[in-house]
Each structure stands twice: as structure tokens, then as C-alpha cells.
């Protein structure tokens, strides 16, 4: 039995997930809690945030984030795709920086626009 706190809504339900009983979830106040509890125990997912270097721009780093969640198992591999990456300015908000991270169909996108100097 795993005990977790749901982060899907402000309720913060205390969930219990029974791994030995088909990942049965108790303690949720809505259906999203049940889905979250099962997902969190079987294959936790996260949005990744980081920065990349920018050349010729008003700022030297650009914040990026994944446009969807990605398995926690792939986080370090996904972060490696940003190593030594330099993006030329200008950078548009929402611009795809790295596509199809680790074959997941998830992209790193720019979280800020950066003007060219």
C-alpha cells in the first residue's frame, strides 16, 4: 500500500494505492484523483523545466519546458538532450527547441521570447 497526496486540484486528497489489489485507489474526492494515484504508482510523470544557452540574444539563457509530461524514468536522458545546445536568437515563446524527446512525442519549448541583439 502506497500513500500519496494528489496534486490534481487544490483538495490535496490523501490517497492510498493498493498495489496488490489491481492498484485500487481510495481517499480521492474526484475521478482525477483515482487516475493520478494509479499513474503515480505505476509510472510517475512530470513536466521538466530547464534552460538552454542562447547566442546573439538579449539574454544568454532561455527557459524551456516540456509541452507535456514525461516519465520520471526518462528525466535524466531528456535533460541530456539540452547539454551543449545553443539556440540562435531570436527565440519565440513556444518555439520548439528539441522535438520528440526520447521518442515520446513530447517537445522542449521556449518559455520566453528572446530578441536578437
Amino acid at each position: 500500500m502506497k500513500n500519496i497526496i494528489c496534486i490534481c486540484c487544490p483538495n490535496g486528497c490523501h490517497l492510498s494505492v493498493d498495489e496488490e489489489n489491481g492498484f485500487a485507489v481510495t481517499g480521492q474526492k474526484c475521478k482525477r484523483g483515482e487516475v493520478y494515484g494509479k499513474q503515480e504508482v505505476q509510472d510517475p510523470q512530470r513536466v521538466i523545466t530547464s534552460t538552454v544557452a542562447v547566442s546573439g540574444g538579449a539574454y544568454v539563457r532561455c527557459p524551456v519546458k516540456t509541452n507535456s509530461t514525461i516519465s520520471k524514468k526518462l528525466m535524466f536522458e531528456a535533460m541530456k538532450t539540452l547539454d551543449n545546445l545553443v539556440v540562435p536568437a531570436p527565440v519565440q515563446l513556444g518555439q520548439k527547441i528539441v522535438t520528440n524527446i526520447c521518442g515520446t512525442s513530447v517537445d522542449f519549448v521556449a518559455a520566453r521570447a528572446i530578441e536578437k541583439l
Side-chain angles (χ1 to χ4, degrees):
M1 182 81 68
K2 295 238 182 188
N3 296 312
I4 58 176
I5 297 175
C6 183
I7 59 171
C8 290
C9 71
N11 285 330
C13 298
H14 290 259
L15 306 178
S16 296
V17 182
D18 189 353
E19 300 167 284
E20 297 175 4
N21 190 16
F23 297 96
V25 179
T26 57
Q28 74 276 13
K29 294 180 183 175
C30 66
K31 289 186 178 189
R32 292 187 299 173
E34 182 176 1
V35 172
Y36 174 79
K38 287 180 181 180
Q39 181 71 51
E40 188 64 15
V41 171
Q42 293 176 333
D43 183 26
Q45 303 278 313
R46 298 292 184 269
V47 170
I48 302 173
T49 60
S50 189
T51 62
V52 294
V54 176
S55 65
Y59 299 97
V60 296
R61 309 274 315 161
C62 179
V64 295
K65 67 179 199 103
T66 54
N67 60 357
S68 185
T69 58
I70 190 169
S71 175
K72 278 181 71 175
K73 296 177 204 171
L74 297 173
M75 286 179 72
F76 291 107
E77 186 179 342
M79 291 295 292
K80 285 182 184 180
T81 66
L82 301 176
D83 288 351
N84 305 313
L85 183 64
V86 179
V87 179
V91 178
Q92 303 300 317
L93 178 64
Q95 176 181 329
K96 291 181 181 180
I97 304 299
V98 177
T99 59
N100 196 26
I101 306 164
C102 305
T104 61
S105 300
V106 176
D107 306 321
F108 274 113
V109 297
R112 176 186 191 139
I114 298 182
E115 296 176 9
K116 188 174 183 175
L117 286 180

